[in-house]
């Protein structure tokens, strides 16, 4: 439960479908073992991070049954079930795991139905709050049709197994194609200070009341590096990662953050960083990073 000593969550809230969630959320991927395979080295520590996230007021957790596989969903269930009414858990489908730790695609209707039921079972729920249909591959979006896969999810939504739909790792054209099939509440793509390819899409979605959820908000496996970012961080006596999170919060009100960590201390640092106050001059300097 939030206390007087708990720092307020930055950014306020956003409405996903019929639910209001904190703009600062938590991504569970890092709770799995190395390369998102197998169990965590510190099981108790992983449970503690999830409980701390909820205690700090976070109401948006992002996961996938492919993480581990099944590891992060099972940790979420162990740590938090029965879930608070305020908690909103987003998952994604479209890929499985192989013995080498790869992410082979799995988007046939029968694959997707199987993944939905696996997510339901591992999370211990009768309906999933949000399912993102992940397209493309590890290199990014690909210009394939999303229709067959998304129609399958829309049918599962009609069956009552999914409350809300989203899309991930997609092009603007695939977003439009999906929206022609069923309403979506969010888009989850790679986006950060240095990767601004979705600038136009962020603004378009904001105008339509649809959330944009950046994955790899801090650069992923290659942390963000920029002279401008370092200058602003030095000026503010903050870390570059704090500034990068704060910039995302400032960028648009429909951006929801889901930075991941396996440390409760780092979780608190991320929250404090995202709440950092940036001046107009700071933002102007940072805006030049991804547009260079």
């Amino acid at each position: 439960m939030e206390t007087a000593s708990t720092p307020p969550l930055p950014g306020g809230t956003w409405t996903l479908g019929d639910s209001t969630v904190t703009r600062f959320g938590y991504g569970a991927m890092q709770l799995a073992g190395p390369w998102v395979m197998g169990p965590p080295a510190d099981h108790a520590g992983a449970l503690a991070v999830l409980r701390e996230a909820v205690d700090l007021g976070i109401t948006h957790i992002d996961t996938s049954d492919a993480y581990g596989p099944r590891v992060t969903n099972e940790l979420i269930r162990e740590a938090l079930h029965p879930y608070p009414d305020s908690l909103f858990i987003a998952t994604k489908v479209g890929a499985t795991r192989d013995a080498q730790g790869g992410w082979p695609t799995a988007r046939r209707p029968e694959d997707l139905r199987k993944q939905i039921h696996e997510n339901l079972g591992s999370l211990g729920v009768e309906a999933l709050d949000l399912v993102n249909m992940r397209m493309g591959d590890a290199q990014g979006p690909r210009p394939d049709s999303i229709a067959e896969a998304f129609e399958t999810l829309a049918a599962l939504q009609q069956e009552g197994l999914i409350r809300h739909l989203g899309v991930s790792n997609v092009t603007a054209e695939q977003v439009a194609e999906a929206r022609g099939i069923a309403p979506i509440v969010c888009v989850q793509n790679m986006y950060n200070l240095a990767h601004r390819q979705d600038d136009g899409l962020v603004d378009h979605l904001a105008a339509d009341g649809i959330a944009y959820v950046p994955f790899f908000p801090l650069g992923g496996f290659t942390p963000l590096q920029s002279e401008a970012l370092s200058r602003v961080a030095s000026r503010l006596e903050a870390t570059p990662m704090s500034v990068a999170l704060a910039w995302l919060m400032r960028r648009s009100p429909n951006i929801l953050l889901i930075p991941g960590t396996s440390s409760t201390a780092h979780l608190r640092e991320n929250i404090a960083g995202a709440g950092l106050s940036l001046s107009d001059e700071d933002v102007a300097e940072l805006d030049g990073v991804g547009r260079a």
Side-chain angles (χ1 to χ4, degrees), residues 14-15 32 34 45 48 52 55 64 87 103 115 123 149 155 157 176-177 186-187 202 219 224 261 273 275:
W14 182 265
T15 301
E52 180 80 350
D55 287 346
S64 171
L87 187 62
W103 302 77
Q115 290 168 67
L123 286 170
Q157 183 183 40
E177 186 179 18
C186 75
V187 172
V202 170
L224 294 173
T261 179

Side-chain angles (χ1 to χ4, degrees), residues 38 53 65 125 139 162 175 214 251 256:
D65 209 49
V125 295
Q139 281 68 53
I162 303 171
V175 172
R251 169 63 182 83
L256 311 185

Side-chain angles (χ1 to χ4, degrees), residues 13-292:
T13 60
W14 182 265
T15 301
L16 284 173
D18 57 2
S19 298
T20 299
V21 303
T22 51
R23 285 185 63 206
F24 190 96
Y26 174 74
M29 185 175 73
Q30 291 188 30
L31 294 182
W35 303 105
V36 203
M37 287 292 285
D42 182 358
H43 184 89
L47 299 180
V49 171
L50 288 162
R51 290 168 181 153
E52 180 80 350
V54 172
D55 287 346
L56 290 171
I58 288 172
T59 61
H60 175 208
I61 292 179
D62 180 82
T63 185
S64 171
D65 209 49
Y67 297 163
R70 294 176 299 282
V71 168
T72 62
N73 279 8
E74 291 173 355
L75 288 168
I76 290 169
R77 182 176 184 174
E78 182 179 353
L80 303 175
H81 197 277
Y83 303 117
D85 291 341
S86 60
L87 187 62
F88 187 97
I89 301 175
T91 188
K92 61 186 70 63
V93 294
T96 58
R97 305 304 299 276
D98 59 28
Q100 292 72 44
W103 302 77
T105 60
R107 298 182 189 132
R108 296 175 302 173
E110 58 269 31
D111 295 330
L112 296 173
R113 286 184 172 273
K114 180 174 183 288
Q115 290 168 67
I116 292 301
H117 284 283
E118 288 173 343
N119 275 279
L120 288 166
S122 58
L123 286 170
V125 295
E126 295 182 356
L128 299 166
D129 290 332
L130 166 63
V131 176
N132 286 308
M133 181 64 237
R134 183 172 171 85
M135 299 297 291
D137 55 30
Q139 281 68 53
R142 294 288 179 266
D144 307 312
S145 173
I146 199 173
E148 182 181 42
F150 202 71
E151 286 168 356
T152 300
L153 294 191
L156 289 164
Q157 183 183 40
Q158 290 299 311
E159 293 173 24
L161 301 181
I162 303 171
R163 293 177 55 221
H164 303 295
L165 298 174
V167 291
S168 176
N169 205 33
V170 289
T171 64
E173 291 74 21
Q174 288 166 331
V175 172
E177 186 179 18
R179 293 182 69 185
I181 296 167
I184 65 171
V185 299
C186 75
V187 172
Q188 189 177 107
N189 274 3
M190 182 175 179
Y191 183 81
N192 55 52
L193 182 64
H195 295 86
R196 305 280 298 277
Q197 67 282 357
D198 272 359
D199 269 341
L201 181 59
V202 170
D203 295 335
H204 178 71
L205 295 173
D208 287 347
I210 296 173
Y212 186 97
V213 185
F215 62 76
F216 292 156
L218 298 176
F221 299 111
T222 305
L224 294 173
Q225 296 182 19
S226 157
E227 290 183 5
L229 179 59
S230 296
R231 279 196 305 271
V232 173
S234 177
R235 205 159 57 228
L236 297 175
E237 299 182 341
T239 67
M241 297 304 98
S242 292
V243 173
L245 289 175
W247 177 86
L248 282 168
M249 275 293 178
R250 172 85 176 254
R251 169 63 182 83
S252 182
N254 68 322
I255 286 182
L256 311 185
L257 295 189
I258 51 168
T261 179
S262 58
S263 158
T264 55
H266 189 213
L267 174 64
R268 286 180 173 271
E269 289 171 8
N270 282 341
I271 291 172
L276 191 67
S277 179
L278 302 178
S279 69
D280 291 343
E281 292 75 16
D282 295 331
V283 173
E285 187 169 358
L286 293 169
D287 279 347
V289 174
R291 295 173 178 167

